[in-house]
Structure formats: C-alpha cells, structure tokens
Amino acid sequence: MVGGGPLRSHARAAMTRVASVDCGTNSIRLLVADVPAAGAHTDLLRRMEVVRLGEGVDATGRLAPQAIERTRRVLAEYAAAARDLGATAVRMVATSATRDAANRGDFEDMVVATLGQKPDVVSGREEAELSFLGATASLDAAATAHGSPPPRPPFLVVDIGGGSTEFVLGDGSGVRAARSVDIGCVRLTERHLRGDPPTAEEIRRAEADIRSALDQVRAEVPVDEAVSLVGLAGSVTTVAALALALPAYDADAIHGSRIAVDDVRAVTADLLAATRARRAAMPVMHPGRVDVIGAGSLILRVLMDEFGAAEVVVSEHDILDGIALRLARG
C-alpha cells in the first residue's frame, strides 16, 4: 500500500504513469512521469528534499534514528503524491548510505511501513546503469534546445552523490563498464572539509582521497575511450548554474549545457574559499547543498583534470529518470 492506495512494484508495457523514488545519502527525490513506449517521458511532478540519511554513517557504520525519521516523513509525502496522481507502479531505489549501514534492516522496515514495499538497495553497478540510462536518454533533445550539436558517444557518465560517485562508460548499445567508488560530497565533507572555509591541508587530503578513488575507476573503466563527459546530480548542476552566472536556478538552461574545465576550476576555487554564509547567499544554491557543495565541486574538478576532460555536458536527468524508464519499459 502507498499512502492507503495499492501500487505494484513493477510496471510493464501498459503501465505508463509511474513513480520513481531515489533515496541517496544526502537527498530523497520523487519523479512521477508518463512514459511512452518510446521517446521522451513527460514529468508530472519532481520533488527533492535533503534528509541527510547518511549523516554520520561513514564514522559509525549505522544510520542515525533521526535520519531515518527525517526520511520517513518525506517518503510519506511522496507516497501520497504518487497515489493522488494515479501512478500505477512505483520503485524506490536506495543507494550508498543504506548499502553500507549495519542497521539497514531498520531503514527497510520503515520503508515497508510507509510505502508498502521494500526499497531496492541496488549494487553500485546497477546504480551506475540506471544513472547512465537516465542521463543519456534526452541529451540529443537538450542539445537541439541549446542550438548545439549533440554530444558524441561513447559517454563517460559521472554521477556525484552524497556517499558515492558512479562512473559508467557506454553508448547507444548500452553500458561497457562501470564502477562505483566511496567518494561523495557528504562523505568527503565529513572526512576532510571541516573548516569554514576549509584549510589548504583539508583540501589537499580530500584531493588525495579523490585521486585514490579515481585509480580504482581506471582499473575497471577504460575512461580514455570516452568522447564526451556527462555530469549529473546536484553538485554538477549547481557548479553549472554558478559557471553560467544564472540569476536563479533554471533547470532548462542547465540541462544540456557544456561547462569548460577552466570554468569548473574557477567555480570550485571560489566555493572552497567561501565561508558558509557566502555560499548560502548564492542565488542558485539549494539550502541542503550549502555544506557539501565544496566537496562536490572538488570531485568534479579533480576528475576532469585527471581524465583530461575539456568540458562537461551537464544533465538534469539522472538515476531518477532511469528508474522511471526501466520501470515503465522493463
């Protein structure tokens, strides 16, 4: 049961109105969409709330009871919204924080009580595949909207999350290789970036952590085969909004934009030099990203430098869209 109404956990061809929930380390998001058999899907509702489910999990190995409760309250709202909009199927995917937690069962019990079904605590590989599907499905349409040629495959899709970052290489025929590594904006902030602003030594340690993780990626993903780097999730879209000097957050302007590495370097340097108060005052900054955007931008900057990427193609679509597409189309 979802908020009092029945929902099946998987949809098939006749099911076009679906709800997907992505529960990450930092935020929980909802998409209710109409998905045709082929072509672009139509959003009915998108929501994102920062619940910090992974608060402290890197240090304790456990999900905090207050973090589970914050997540429960938002999930109850999402379940009601999906029911009210007539979604015929729902899938909730939970990622890094719950994979790592010793008390994962407490979280799963809460989801069953709230949503009526267990979350899919996916592997890093499936998380990356869903991100790839969601990120690349609408790139051609976004390029057309910007009046630019579509980015060329193979794509290296990078999804910078709160607890982990997914790297997946693929093209129109599917995924070639993928790797999830335990660097994310929340995890790195808690490990290293404690100053306001962080010190040079804190930043140096964070950079070393990122480079170590990138060595793991290179061991499994032939990143040199990629022609286009595609970046997604809140850290990347916020960096793009700042690089574009937008007066307010504008998803249409951000989706499909191309941000040069020099602009990423400049935005990252500014964010890491800023106090929390100055970051909070930036007009494109979501309140839930104020504390962790420095680490997120640093991950993007270091990986672009390490992989020799001249630009990043920014996607507003990600694992949430991939969940919906796979749910509706199988």
Side-chain angles (χ1 to χ4, degrees):
M1 301 288 285
V2 177
L7 281 178
R8 288 188 290 167
S9 61
H10 292 283
R12 288 297 177 259
M15 304 284 190
T16 58
R17 181 162 294 184
V18 297
S20 59
V21 179
D22 169 38
C23 185
T25 303
N26 193 47
S27 62
I28 182 169
R29 300 179 302 144
L30 168 71
L31 170 63
V32 182
D34 284 333
V35 183
H41 54 288
T42 301
D43 293 4
L44 300 174
L45 176 65
R46 279 185 190 264
R47 280 190 58 186
M48 188 274 282
E49 299 290 341
V50 172
V51 294
R52 294 283 176 87
L53 177 62
E55 179 184 16
V57 74
D58 194 48
T60 67
R62 299 180 65 82
L63 298 171
Q66 65 269 25
I68 294 176
E69 173 58 19
R70 288 195 299 265
T71 306
R72 184 200 64 78
R73 289 196 297 267
V74 176
L75 182 60
E77 294 177 8
Y78 287 2
R83 181 197 68 234
D84 292 346
L85 287 170
T88 55
V90 66
R91 185 184 184 194
M92 177 177 176
V93 166
T95 53
S96 175
T98 45
R99 278 200 305 266
D100 299 342
N103 61 334
R104 169 172 151 178
D106 294 343
F107 170 76
E108 292 180 339
D109 289 346
M110 178 277 289
V111 173
V112 170
T114 308
L115 194 62
Q117 63 189 58
K118 289 183 70 173
D120 291 332
V121 182
V122 297
S123 67
R125 172 74 187 208
E126 185 178 359
E127 185 178 352
E129 290 174 346
L130 290 167
S131 294
F132 183 85
L133 174 63
T136 60
S138 62
L139 286 181
D140 286 1
T144 299
H146 284 280
S148 59
R152 293 188 297 122
F155 305 111
L156 178 64
V157 172
V158 179
D159 184 350
I160 300 174
S164 64
T165 296
E166 281 62 59
F167 296 79
V168 55
L169 179 73
D171 52 27
S173 62
V175 170
R176 298 184 186 179
R179 177 63 196 260
S180 176
V181 288
D182 285 338
I183 54 168
C185 59
V186 174
R187 201 183 292 264
L188 280 185
T189 300
E190 291 184 351
R191 282 181 185 171
H192 304 296
L193 304 182
R194 300 187 179 95
D196 183 25
T199 66
E201 177 60 20
E202 289 174 340
I203 294 168
R204 186 199 66 76
R205 289 198 301 267
E207 288 178 335
D209 209 353
I210 296 165
R211 290 193 179 95
S212 177
L214 295 180
D215 287 341
Q216 300 172 39
V217 174
R218 281 197 186 94
E220 295 186 29
V221 180
V223 295
D224 292 340
E225 293 180 9
V227 175
S228 300
L229 173 68
V230 180
L232 48 145
S235 291
V236 177
T237 58
T238 301
V239 168
L242 292 167
L244 294 168
L246 298 177
Y249 195 92
D250 182 344
D252 291 336
I254 293 166
H255 186 52
S257 63
R258 299 180 186 221
I259 309 300
V261 65
D262 284 346
D263 292 329
V264 173
R265 291 178 186 134
V267 168
T268 300
D270 185 57
L271 287 169
L272 290 171
T275 62
R276 186 188 191 283
R278 186 158 75 83
R279 294 193 305 274
M282 295 175 180
V284 299
M285 189 69 63
H286 188 284
R289 300 220 176 270
V290 173
D291 292 326
V292 298
I293 186 59
S297 65
L298 187 62
I299 294 169
L300 179 62
R301 193 268 287 166
V302 172
L303 75 87
M304 291 183 75
D305 284 338
E306 291 291 307
F307 294 165
E311 67 176 14
V312 58
V313 180
V314 181
S315 179
E316 281 278 351
H317 293 176
D318 51 28
I319 188 172
L320 193 62
D321 301 80
I323 296 165
L325 291 168
R326 185 166 288 178
L327 179 58
R329 295 172 180 169

